[in-house]
Amino acid sequence: YRDMSKECYEQKAAAIEAIANPVKPNLPISVALEEAEELYLWVQSDRAALERVGLSWQLVDDLPLRVAACRYTESEWQNHLTTTSDAEKEWLQKRDEAKVLSVDLTRALRFALGRKLNVLGEKKPSSGYMRQAAFIDYCYNIAVLAADYTEQLQSVGFDISRLDGACDAAEHLSVLLARVNAERGVQYILRDQRNRAYTHLKEAVDQIRRCGKFAFASQPAQQNDHRKQKADPE
């Protein structure tokens, strides 16, 4: 089933990529797909009336393909979100551990040496405004500095064993951050791809509904079939 959806996406890829202004779905994708599939069935008996007001039936015939393409892009995006959560969790865990060590080291060194430390200007690793790359540099620099003052740190009761592997841990943060940023980039691409596929589907659905509204203006029940839309969840 997924392979079939992928084939449909590949058939529609050029049209989807050509979407100039993709929109963000304002309802769950599953609902949008269900509505489009129902619309496709509803309009089959109304072909003559809809074509009479200018609807190209090719747009109706294209609906299942657009639905499948959108379903595929949504699946790809959701799958990537699930598989990348481990990298994000590791980054957050290691970052928080490094932040605690850096704050403790900064405090202990300032007390032991009796002066301010010029490791990274006046910024502190606990600052919410420190950029991630600068934060990693701070963690590394404070660990290197601490290695030169182990006796002074011991004299104020700091556990020197906490320095073991501190520099390596800071360097590893760079690797983790690169992985997370790369995955976030892929997520953005997949989300944009999904939004484009959704927009491509929505354009067809909106046009068919618009024609249905006009064609059956004097028949409210029939018109409602073409305009039916589930409530927005937001």
Side-chain angles (χ1 to χ4, degrees), residues 83-103:
T83 57
T84 58
S85 60
D86 289 342
E88 185 83 21
K89 287 178 181 177
E90 184 180 3
W91 155 253
L92 293 174
Q93 177 190 343
K94 298 299 183 183
R95 182 203 63 185
D96 290 346
E97 291 173 358
K99 181 181 292 186
V100 170
L101 177 59
S102 297
V103 169

Side-chain angles (χ1 to χ4, degrees), residues 85-143:
S85 60
D86 289 342
E88 185 83 21
K89 287 178 181 177
E90 184 180 3
W91 155 253
L92 293 174
Q93 177 190 343
K94 298 299 183 183
R95 182 203 63 185
D96 290 346
E97 291 173 358
K99 181 181 292 186
V100 170
L101 177 59
S102 297
V103 169
D104 290 349
L105 271 177
T106 301
R107 186 183 300 113
L109 282 168
R110 283 176 174 167
F111 181 71
L113 301 179
R115 58 183 172 83
K116 279 192 172 184
L117 303 174
N118 187 24
V119 177
L120 195 65
E122 294 300 317
K123 293 182 179 179
K124 302 176 183 178
S126 57
S127 170
Y129 298 100
M130 180 177 286
R131 293 184 179 275
Q132 291 170 324
F135 164 73
I136 293 172
D137 286 342
Y138 189 98
C139 293
Y140 182 83
N141 291 338
I142 200 70

